[in-house]
Amino acid sequence: MNGQALYDRLFGAGAHALTAEGRFLRGTARIGAREAAVIGTLDHAAIDVPLALRIAESILRAVHADAASDMPPRPILFIADTQGQALSRHEELLGLNGYFAHVVRCVDLARRQGHRLLTVISGEAVSGGFLAYGMMADRICALPNSQVRVMDLRAMARVTKIGLERLEELAKQSPVFAPGAENYWRMGGIHELWSENDVWPERLAAALACAGSTDDRAAIGLERGGRLLAAPTAQIVANP
Amino acid sequence: MNGLPISYLEASARKRLSGLLDAGSFVEFCPPEMRRSSPHLALLDAPLAFDDGVVTGRAALAGHKVLVAAQEGRFNGGAVGEVHGAKIRGLLDRALIEHPAAVLLLVDSGGVRLHEANAGLIAISEIMRAVLRVQAAGIPVFALVGGSCGAFGGMGIVTRLCTEVIMSEQGRLGLSGPEVIETVKGVDEFDSRDRALVWRVTGGKLRRALGEATLLVDDTIPAFRAAAAGLLDRYQAQPPMPGDLAALQAAQDELTERSRRFAAARDGREIWQAFFADASRVPEMSVDEFNTRLGEMA
């Protein structure tokens, strides 16, 4: 599902005004009774400098617009579909990591200004591209069939020099390295997995209602049994 | 002892800390005796470290109270797994309780540890949010980049979120490492064995010229210490403010301008030509001369 069909399913027909410009998406949509700013990437976009700048600019624009209005800050919804960061010498030379850090700062500014931040993963969410914006939201939801990963198992086998069969075997019991939205859910990195049977506009409104500004992912990962050491280890160092 | 200052690049994480911090002031949190190693590496029969490749603690630096985390590049390339990442995140959380003069991150990392990739990716995003929280509380975070693994992947993003970035000429900073780009895009795109090219694209002098590293220092532990001490003095007088809309709009303009100005650049030489009349001499300039001449232009 993509384009209009996806947006109709996500927000309800007539409840969105979104424009795609290449692999960049922006506009507004209704979530429950509220208007939200929507910012996204499409078609498994590789996030490069121009795309990072457009994401950041759109966030700043939303913050600016709402700072000038009497209404409370609107929620911002990120629709993430990214194969990861662009791989190129030119991008590295410019300092793509610094451009991503800028996006992250803009997301943080929006949070500090009182915007609630949601991410819906549609398609793929991979590594650096996902780190740059989708993963920084208050609440992260994955549509059915979304792919979430750092690297596929074949490449991982090559780099770690551990046999593919061994990795595939271990992947069945451990959520810790194998690709999959379900694994990220168990580890607290994704808050909600949506199904085809769900009424997505209702889920979206519910997600917005429970989005908070504190980072509770380590505690959720512990509760769901997928990440047992993160919360207690951080606690040992934070407050021995 | 031969009397030469110790190379920061070649030192271990613990050696760096012992030279960087005031003698006898370091207290380690979650030390190796606690045996907090990675169960995920154990499952894969990969080598373990009792500190999981990162040292965290409290210390004094030139009399200022600091919290520090030092990544050990010799263990799994300083890569971030569940425990490793949680120790850094915990340290940043602790800063909100203890209010040190600064948090120092001695970054030496290729990014996410693939053996526990999902945990590593989530951990890095937790570190990002924690760095921002600490800064919002008025506590500066300094990244020190001069280790053999540089600062790449998610740790390259974390580094650029820090209030200040102290780098040596030998330090490297980026997102995707040259090997990754070469593997996916081919040797014509990026020849990772061409050390001089790698350095011109990711190294300290390039990053300093672009303004991403805020200080360039010699590859010695005392040089890093002196730079950090200077920053601690400065921030004590004037605590950092979290970026507001105007500051981030200015950053947006600056980054947009950089991408326009260097729209076709693929080599650090093209950047240096914008700053130095004799750009070909940049590799041989001493750090002092480089800094002086860069300062003259600012």
Side-chain angles (χ1 to χ4, degrees), chain A residues 143-156:
Chain A
L143 296 183
N145 304 317
S146 27
Q147 305 293 315
V148 185
R149 67 176 177 278
V150 171
M151 197 182 255
D152 72 34
L153 279 191
R154 261 183 301 262
M156 206 172 278

Side-chain angles (χ1 to χ4, degrees), chain A residues 53 85 87 89-90 92 94 97 99 102 105 112 170 175-176 178 184 213 217 227 229-230 233 237 240, chain B residues 36 39 43-44 82 94 118 125-126 129 156 160-161 175-176 189 207 243 252 255 258 262-263 265-266:
Chain A
L53 284 171
Q85 67 267 27
L87 294 171
R89 201 166 99 195
H90 168 67
E92 285 301 321
L94 285 178
N97 58 311
Y99 283 79
H102 174 63
R105 279 204 177 94
R112 284 188 283 118
L170 288 166
V176 80
Y184 279 81
S213 62
R217 290 173 292 174
R227 208 158 46 116
L229 287 170
T233 305
V237 178
Chain B
R36 206 87 186 163
L43 198 65
L44 296 166
E82 180 172 357
R94 188 176 185 121
N118 302 340
S125 82
E126 289 171 335
R129 287 192 63 174
R160 289 286 280 111
L161 284 175
L175 190 56
S176 305
E189 177 63 24
R207 294 298 172 214
Q252 175 85 17
L255 289 169
R258 182 195 299 173
F262 302 113
R266 297 182 73 230

Side-chain angles (χ1 to χ4, degrees), chain A residues 171-239:
Chain A
K172 288 178 196 154
Q173 355 159 344
S174 165
V176 80
F177 62 86
E182 163 87 9
N183 288 337
Y184 279 81
W185 180 88
R186 279 179 63 194
M187 305 187 77
I190 287 176
H191 296 83
E192 303 182 14
L193 297 174
W194 296 3
S195 79
E196 289 294 351
N197 300 326
D198 291 333
V199 181
W200 293 355
E202 284 176 11
R203 290 218 66 162
L204 204 48
L208 180 60
C210 59
S213 62
T214 53
D215 187 352
D216 49 7
R217 290 173 292 174
I220 296 173
L222 181 62
E223 202 179 283
R224 292 177 182 168
R227 208 158 46 116
L228 300 174
L229 287 170
T233 305
Q235 189 58 32
I236 288 171
V237 178
N239 211 352

Side-chain angles (χ1 to χ4, degrees), chain B:
Chain B
M1 291 291 285
N2 56 15
L4 288 174
I6 299 160
S7 161
Y8 186 96
L9 183 82
E10 288 168 18
S12 68
R14 289 178 187 278
K15 188 92 185 167
R16 284 172 194 155
L17 287 177
S18 73
L20 199 68
L21 305 168
D22 296 351
S25 70
F26 182 65
V27 178
E28 185 163 354
F29 305 143
C30 198
E33 298 80 60
M34 289 184 75
R35 301 278 195 271
R36 206 87 186 163
S37 49
S38 165
H40 313 304
L41 288 176
L43 198 65
L44 296 166
D45 298 323
L48 302 181
F50 290 142
D51 58 13
D52 205 34
V54 65
V55 186
T56 52
R58 179 207 296 121
L61 198 164
H64 299 279
K65 180 177 144 187
V66 295
L67 295 181
V68 291
Q71 295 181 299
E72 178 52 71
R74 296 173 192 180
F75 179 70
N76 265 310
V80 179
E82 180 172 357
V83 170
H84 182 120
K87 286 174 75 176
I88 300 175
R89 186 255 165 100
L91 184 83
L92 290 157
D93 288 346
R94 188 176 185 121
L96 298 173
I97 304 166
E98 291 202 2
H99 281 273
V103 180
L104 273 55
L105 302 181
L106 280 61
V107 180
D108 193 357
S109 176
V112 169
R113 185 187 292 168
L114 290 177
H115 307 77
E116 39 190 304
N118 302 340
L121 191 72
I122 301 169
I124 287 181
S125 82
E126 289 171 335
I127 293 170
M128 287 180 187
R129 287 192 63 174
V131 164
L132 291 161
R133 272 198 305 276
V134 167
Q135 290 173 322
I139 303 160
V141 183
F142 305 155
L144 282 64
V145 181
S148 57
C149 298
F152 284 95
M155 288 310 295
I157 307 177
V158 168
T159 296
R160 289 286 280 111
L161 284 175
C162 291
T163 324
E164 299 278 349
V165 179
I166 307 172
M167 253 183 114
S168 68
E169 203 177 338
Q170 290 83 345
R172 292 174 300 127
L173 172 60
L175 190 56
S176 305
E179 293 82 4
V180 175
I181 296 176
E182 182 186 305
T183 303
V184 179
K185 297 284 172 175
V187 71
D188 291 342
E189 177 63 24
F190 207 155
D191 182 352
S192 67
R193 282 166 309 172
D194 184 343
R195 301 290 294 270
L197 174 68
V198 168
W199 176 79
R200 292 196 303 271
V201 173
T202 65
K205 275 181 178 165
L206 185 266
R207 294 298 172 214
R208 180 69 195 99
L210 286 172
E212 300 183 311
T214 49
L215 289 169
L216 184 75
V217 300
D218 280 312
D219 172 39
T220 69
I221 297 175
F224 274 92
R225 175 179 158 89
L231 290 174
L232 284 162
D233 287 339
R234 170 149 49 97
Y235 279 99
Q236 189 172 45
Q238 201 171 28
M241 299 287 288
D244 61 6
L245 182 59
L248 286 171
Q249 190 59 59
Q252 175 85 17
D253 294 345
E254 194 186 317
L255 289 169
T256 304
E257 174 53 26
R258 182 195 299 173
S259 68
R260 281 203 196 110
R261 188 175 181 194
F262 302 113
R266 297 182 73 230
D267 191 316
R269 285 177 182 137
E270 296 162 78
I271 311 267
W272 289 327
Q273 275 159 12
F275 293 92
F276 299 96
D278 49 350
S280 63
R281 270 200 62 242
V282 168
E284 66 203 57
M285 279 181 203
S286 72
V287 167
D288 274 350
E289 185 192 355
F290 182 87
N291 283 335
T292 307
R293 299 207 25 210
L294 206 61
E296 278 165 8
M297 276 173 307

Side-chain angles (χ1 to χ4, degrees), chain A residues 2 4 23 30 33 57 63 96 104 112 144 153 167 186 207 219 224 235:
Chain A
N2 53 32
Q4 288 305 315
R23 292 188 167 172
R30 225 168 38 232
E57 188 225 353
V63 171
L96 187 57
V104 168
R112 284 188 283 118
L153 279 191
L167 288 181
R186 279 179 63 194
R224 292 177 182 168
Q235 189 58 32

